[in-house]
Amino acid sequence: MKVLYKILILLSLVGIYSCGDAGNVKVSQATIEKHMERLSSDEFLGRMPFTEGETKTVNYLGGEFAKLGLMPANGDSYFQEVPMIEIDGTPSEKMIITGGNNKLELNFYDDFVAVSPRTDSWVALENSELVFAGYGVVAPEYNWNDYEGIDWKGKTAVVLINDPGFRSGDTTLFNGNAMTYYGRWTYKNEEAARQGADGIIIIHETEPAAYGWSVVQSGWTGPQLTLESDLPVTKIESWISNGSAEKLFQMSTLKGKDYRKMAQTRGFKPIPMGLEVSVQVSNKVKRDVSRNVIAVLPGTDLKDEYIIYSAHWDHLGIGRPVNNDSIYNGAIDNASGTASLFAIAEAFKASRPSRRSIVFLATTGEEQGLLGSAYYAENPLFPPDKTVANINMDALNSWGPMKDLTIMGYGQSELDQYAKTEAEKMGRYILPDLHPENGYFYRADHFNFAKIGIPALYAKGSYEGMELSIEKIRELNEYYDTYMYHKPSDEYDRETMDIGGIQFDAQLFFQLGYRLSNEDYFPKWSDKSEFKAIREGN
Ligand SMILES: [Zn+2]
């Protein structure tokens, strides 16, 4: 394979490197290097939303899109304003559960955490009836409804983390041990709100959550950034520890029952617990506006159909110093993906014009919870049913060209087949994400496109190098995770990085998009995908 790669390089140098439908066009590594170095330089101050770093970054991105001759995608502007709210909530010291003559007092932080997604300064659940709603899932494709048959007004749903397939030993139940979106807490909060519930209590367990109680404690206290949105929200979103849940169930109508087992049983229906909850949150609210940067290269006869390339521009800004360095440069995360947007745009400009239009979207607020892409999904500038696909790039690999293309959420859509075809043209192979139980498919920007039904691909080479062994790549990935990820040392370094790997991934994404942009086919979600029903209008 090493020899094959060298031949590919050689062929590309003499300009006869065949990229299938994309003719002879090669994504420029020099362009990726130039923008990646610049965006991750100290000049951009770690690219934090609402700071001078944001102003510099978004102006740079808009300016570069204009230089490339791309059209503004939002009227005559390259910017989409993303109004955000910072909610700094303080919950009551106690969450009080009552039932008959029994009373359970849970202590904030040790036993429960609670926030209110509402912007009111004072939000309370007062004697809200508790109903056990299993995994809190409504999944038509699995014929599953944990909320069925109850009027949820004035009630609070008590739910388990993950989905019914987890630990069931049944691979036909949801996706077996691999997490579906129904397993994520974000989904559970959204569904409770859609059902009209007053509040939600999620029961923490380390294994099905894939993180400990301390992660819940740190993540659910302090200011939370969120979007200004018209979507329904409950009054209070909360978690309780596993030990607290045991006490709560012992007081309830489910005393002595194996409630976890019941929740995994087909035909489960919600069960009133004979308990009521009271808890309060006081909020301090601030508002500000950040920006997505978005440009379009219009197509020809199918110009009203779109392919969206996305990459988040934001990172963590200036923070706690490590080795006297306080600027979190975010070279890999995600100057790599943002720089690739320009290189791919350049390649499209150099190619025969595409039939479909190509959109380039640099999102804000990814690090704060995928906020820029969530805002786009709620306020799309191009109709979702005319958007053919999203290709998202985040933290591309700088260890040189890779043999694999690892696909997060492999098996979700036909885009996997497109990726496979293009990978094989480059002497590469595709690989399913090795840890689907961690739910990475639900933790990057592409996911917000999936949520509105747009088939989305999130992939990168990360397993076996063209030159470096599987073992060596594992070491380098571990080094990155331990010493660079979300640290000031995630810096651009010409000496230790091999941007050839980023070029190699960007080349594949360009070829894939170019092919899609010249077809009239809309790739479909697979039958078992939780997004299929959304795309096909239920
Ligand atoms: Zn990232």
Side-chain angles (χ1 to χ4, degrees):
M1 224 30 110
K2 193 168 174 172
V3 176
L4 173 62
Y5 175 58
K6 285 194 172 143
I7 292 171
L8 288 177
I9 288 183
L10 210 63
L11 290 177
S12 73
L13 289 175
V14 294
I16 55 167
Y17 176 34
S18 166
C19 301
D21 291 337
N24 295 328
V25 176
K26 190 160 186 287
V27 170
S28 163
Q29 184 170 329
T31 297
I32 296 173
E33 287 171 351
K34 179 180 82 180
H35 292 296
M36 189 172 161
E37 181 165 25
R38 185 79 192 277
L39 284 164
S40 63
S41 68
D42 285 354
E43 178 194 349
F44 288 85
L45 303 165
R47 307 188 304 279
M48 179 72 176
F50 308 142
T51 66
E52 194 190 339
E54 156 155 6
T55 309
K56 287 187 167 164
T57 304
V58 298
N59 288 339
Y60 178 80
L61 298 176
E64 293 297 320
F65 280 148
K67 271 194 222 166
L68 278 167
L70 305 180
M71 305 296 292
N74 192 12
D76 57 3
S77 172
Y78 289 103
F79 304 122
Q80 179 183 40
E81 294 199 336
V82 180
M84 292 189 196
I85 315 172
E86 185 191 277
I87 303 179
D88 191 356
T90 308
S92 47
E93 280 303 309
K94 310 268 185 201
M95 175 187 271
I96 296 177
I97 316 277
T98 52
N101 296 324
N102 296 320
K103 184 174 177 188
L104 174 65
E105 292 193 356
L106 301 180
N107 293 310
F108 171 62
Y109 207 70
D110 286 341
D111 304 328
F112 83 93
V113 294
V115 301
S116 174
R118 300 199 174 176
T119 50
D120 309 83
S121 57
W122 173 257
V123 187
L125 295 180
E126 299 296 353
N127 301 315
S128 174
E129 256 181 79
L130 292 184
V131 178
F132 179 50
Y135 284 91
V137 169
V138 179
E141 69 280 24
Y142 296 110
N143 192 19
W144 197 280
N145 188 343
D146 287 330
Y147 281 94
E148 200 169 300
I150 291 219
D151 174 7
W152 284 89
K153 234 173 144 192
K155 301 190 177 66
T156 292
V158 177
V159 305
L160 300 167
I161 192 67
N162 213 310
D163 68 42
F166 187 75
R167 286 192 297 217
S168 67
D170 180 353
T171 53
T172 67
L173 194 56
F174 285 68
N175 205 5
N177 245 11
M179 193 190 281
T180 63
Y181 179 49
Y182 301 116
R184 298 275 297 153
W185 57 262
T186 46
Y187 165 78
K188 295 179 193 295
N189 289 338
E190 290 162 8
E191 191 59 58
R194 273 193 292 271
Q195 297 292 334
D198 249 8
I200 177 167
I201 297 176
I202 302 176
I203 298 168
H204 175 260
E205 280 183 274
T206 298
E207 198 198 345
Y211 42 79
W213 179 244
S214 65
V215 172
V216 176
Q217 287 173 317
S218 61
W220 289 69
T221 51
Q224 314 272 326
L225 267 184
T226 167
L227 292 177
E228 194 94 60
S229 164
D230 296 330
L231 293 178
V233 287
T234 59
K235 289 182 183 168
I236 289 189
E237 300 168 348
S238 66
W239 291 74
I240 58 174
S241 68
N242 199 13
S244 307
E246 290 302 328
K247 289 180 200 157
L248 187 146
F249 275 89
Q250 282 314 308
M251 276 169 61
S252 79
T253 54
L254 284 140
K255 179 176 179 174
K257 300 225 169 85
D258 188 348
Y259 58 91
R260 290 192 185 86
K261 195 93 220 148
M262 293 165 75
Q264 284 181 321
T265 308
R266 287 177 208 271
F268 171 88
K269 292 289 168 279
I271 303 167
M273 300 178 80
L275 303 174
E276 295 176 346
V277 62
S278 297
V279 63
Q280 302 80 29
V281 175
S282 67
N283 281 330
K284 272 191 231 130
V285 177
K286 271 196 291 200
R287 288 183 162 79
D288 214 331
V289 174
S290 181
R291 271 168 257 176
N292 287 330
V293 189
I294 182 163
V296 60
L297 181 62
T300 56
D301 63 316
L302 297 178
K303 66 175 186 310
D304 294 332
E305 296 175 2
Y306 307 91
I307 290 149
I308 301 182
Y309 285 92
S310 61
H312 73 87
W313 62 254
D314 69 301
H315 195 56
L316 304 170
I318 296 174
R320 196 172 57 84
V322 180
N323 297 328
N324 293 322
D325 185 2
S326 61
I327 299 179
Y328 288 63
N329 303 80
I332 297 289
D333 188 8
N334 183 31
S336 66
T338 312
S340 297
L341 289 177
F342 295 121
I344 291 171
E346 211 175 60
F348 272 101
K349 287 291 280 187
S351 305
R352 181 167 37 83
S354 300
R355 300 178 63 198
R356 287 168 159 161
S357 297
I358 314 296
V359 176
F360 298 92
L361 169 61
T363 56
T364 180
E366 191 274 351
E367 305 284 11
Q368 316 285 342
L370 318 182
L371 298 180
S373 56
Y375 185 81
Y376 180 86
E378 284 177 33
N379 305 274
L381 297 175
F382 304 99
D385 62 337
K386 295 287 179 195
T387 302
V388 179
N390 165 245
I391 300 171
N392 185 55
M393 298 178 288
D394 195 349
L396 299 176
N397 196 299
S398 67
W399 318 126
M402 307 294 278
K403 283 185 191 174
D404 69 294
L405 180 78
T406 294
I407 300 180
M408 267 40 89
Y410 179 76
Q412 282 279 3
S413 82
E414 289 175 348
L415 288 178
D416 294 352
Q417 298 314 309
Y418 281 77
K420 183 168 188 279
T421 303
E422 297 311 319
E424 285 171 358
K425 282 181 195 164
M426 301 173 78
R428 305 176 70 174
Y429 58 85
I430 56 169
L431 196 65
D433 168 18
L434 294 172
H435 297 286
E437 71 278 12
N438 291 344
Y440 288 124
F441 185 76
Y442 312 106
R443 299 189 191 181
D445 276 336
H446 69 292
F447 171 56
N448 281 316
F449 292 92
K451 275 171 85 178
I452 54 168
I454 299 169
L457 182 76
Y458 175 38
K460 53 185 134 178
S462 61
Y463 179 67
E464 182 179 13
M466 283 283 175
E467 311 240 355
L468 301 178
S469 69
I470 292 170
E471 189 48 44
K472 185 68 191 168
I473 294 297
R474 186 186 305 133
E475 266 172 40
L476 288 166
N477 285 338
E478 278 171 15
Y479 179 86
Y480 172 78
D481 289 344
T482 313
Y483 298 107
M484 294 173 72
Y485 175 71
H486 284 194
K487 297 199 166 62
S489 56
D490 182 2
E491 291 184 323
Y492 186 81
D493 183 349
R494 227 170 245 279
E495 297 302 307
T496 57
M497 286 178 168
D498 182 349
I499 306 303
I502 300 174
Q503 189 282 334
F504 219 45
D505 283 357
Q507 180 73 44
L508 195 157
F509 299 143
F510 164 61
Q511 290 174 203
L512 198 166
Y514 191 81
R515 192 174 136 212
L516 270 177
S517 70
N518 286 293
E519 294 182 352
D520 53 16
Y521 184 68
F522 280 75
K524 295 189 165 46
W525 292 103
S526 63
D527 287 342
K528 63 168 196 173
S529 170
E530 58 267 52
F531 308 109
K532 186 184 171 71
I534 304 169
R535 184 64 154 184
E536 295 171 9
N538 273 317

